[in-house]
Amino acid sequence: MKIGFIQFHPEFGKKEKNVEKAVGIIRDIDADLIVLPELFNSGYLFTSAEEVENISEDVPSGYTTQSLLHVAKDTDTFIVAGLAEKAEGARYNSAVLLGPEGFVGLYRKAHLFKDEVKWFEKGDTGFNVHDIGLARIGMMICFDWIFPEAARTLALKGADIICHPSNLMLPFCQKAMITRSLENGVFSLTCNRVGVEERGGERLEFTGLSQIVDPKGNVLALASEDEEGTQVVEIDPMEARDKTVGINKIFQERRTDLYELS
Ligand code: ACM
């Protein structure tokens, strides 16, 4: 199975332009599964609820999802992409999973980072796993990485590959995702963005270094910290069904009788 990321620099507010650019890149890639960053179509640094409202979309009927569905079908590719979603009067920082046969799944970001709480509701979808035939796919978004329960839930539900659209600014996530992959015996695919956004007196720099990690914690692909780029690697998703580290069975040996997680 060929899986990859498109490390991307969206132009804030230029939805059609960002989507067209991503679609063009996907048309040129040979991959089974491609991940785009969090909020890839809109940019990140919102300054008003009105801006978010104007750019957010219904899923799956909105422009972004429909455009990606077309290219998923034309190219026989599964796509995970982060976008601002509008649903029943609320807005969510969401990710969609789309395939050649149509819409597959939706994830709404559970753990909002900093000012995101001004623009989005906390996600209510939970962490679900979608069997796409080639592999079982889970989604989480950016800051979810710091809550190990997110990746653990996806792994316990059978995810082989965790797709992780991101807009990272802090430097810790990539190392943490190596651990998330190892401790859960899963592939993880973190797709970050690059570039700077300066709006409303604030400046944010996004840190790139998108990466793909295998279930043993090996980094299979790593992007640059400041340039756009696409990387695709070939994996055997069945490696994620082996939950051993040496002779230890890391799922069977969990001491659920001792953990206190609530
Ligand atoms: C983040 O969750 N975008 C840092």
Side-chain angles (χ1 to χ4, degrees):
M1 180 177 183
K2 292 180 192 159
I3 67 171
F5 56 74
I6 301 175
Q7 179 163 291
F8 194 74
H9 182 171
E11 275 187 57
F12 186 88
K14 303 268 172 62
K15 184 158 84 175
E16 281 77 8
K17 193 169 173 191
N18 293 328
V19 172
E20 271 171 35
K21 183 168 138 187
V23 165
I25 298 169
I26 293 167
R27 285 198 190 282
D28 286 342
I29 303 174
D30 176 19
D32 300 299
L33 172 70
I34 279 289
V35 182
L36 284 156
E38 176 184 13
L39 297 171
F40 93 92
N41 61 343
S42 62
Y44 184 82
L45 191 44
F46 296 107
T47 57
S48 71
E50 200 182 2
E51 275 180 354
V52 191
E53 177 65 22
N54 288 342
I55 211 149
S56 58
E57 300 183 4
D58 292 328
V59 171
S61 63
Y63 170 78
T64 304
T65 309
Q66 286 300 312
S67 304
L68 293 176
L69 278 168
H70 277 125
V71 72
K73 186 170 180 211
D74 289 352
T75 59
D76 200 21
T77 308
F78 286 88
I79 300 169
V80 171
L83 77 176
E85 184 204 356
K86 193 180 329 204
E88 288 138 27
R91 294 176 298 269
Y92 299 94
N93 183 343
S94 297
V96 289
L97 169 60
L98 314 169
E101 313 269 301
F103 178 79
V104 180
L106 170 72
Y107 167 66
R108 294 176 173 154
K109 187 177 185 179
H111 305 100
L112 298 175
F113 181 69
K114 286 180 74 179
D115 285 353
E116 290 174 28
V117 292
K118 293 186 192 165
W119 320 128
F120 300 110
E121 298 295 319
K122 285 184 193 161
D124 59 359
T125 50
F127 299 93
N128 299 309
V129 173
H130 307 276
D131 192 339
I132 61 167
L134 295 163
R136 299 189 296 232
I137 307 296
M139 293 182 278
M140 56 187 227
I141 299 178
C142 206
F143 196 50
D144 286 330
W145 70 265
I146 210 166
F147 302 89
E149 296 89 346
R152 178 63 105 199
T153 302
L154 289 170
L156 288 174
K157 286 182 158 185
D160 302 311
I161 305 170
I162 294 180
C163 297
H164 182 213
S166 295
N167 274 195
L168 292 159
M169 292 152 264
L170 300 174
F172 312 112
C173 169
Q174 286 82 355
K175 285 200 181 91
M177 288 307 290
I178 293 173
T179 303
R180 294 290 102 81
S181 273
L182 182 63
E183 69 197 0
N184 290 300
V186 293
F187 291 89
S188 65
L189 202 165
T190 297
C191 181
N192 196 14
R193 59 161 289 181
V194 289
V196 172
E197 284 187 9
E198 237 170 329
R199 312 189 68 246
E202 221 189 319
R203 182 180 188 278
L204 294 179
E205 187 162 352
F206 300 93
T207 50
L209 299 171
S210 298
Q211 71 178 10
I212 303 173
V213 184
D214 79 8
K216 300 295 179 215
N218 301 302
V219 178
L220 305 179
L222 181 64
S224 94
E225 57 188 28
D226 53 8
E227 281 175 26
E228 295 184 303
T230 301
Q231 291 194 43
V232 176
V233 298
E234 190 146 8
I235 63 155
D236 176 2
M238 294 310 121
E239 285 175 19
R241 308 273 167 104
D242 166 22
K243 301 298 184 192
T244 58
V245 172
I247 61 160
N248 289 92
K249 298 183 167 61
I250 59 170
F251 274 19
Q252 284 175 25
E253 293 174 27
R254 294 171 66 240
R255 290 297 307 275
T256 51
D257 55 326
L258 299 181
Y259 306 150
E260 296 180 46
L261 293 173
S262 55

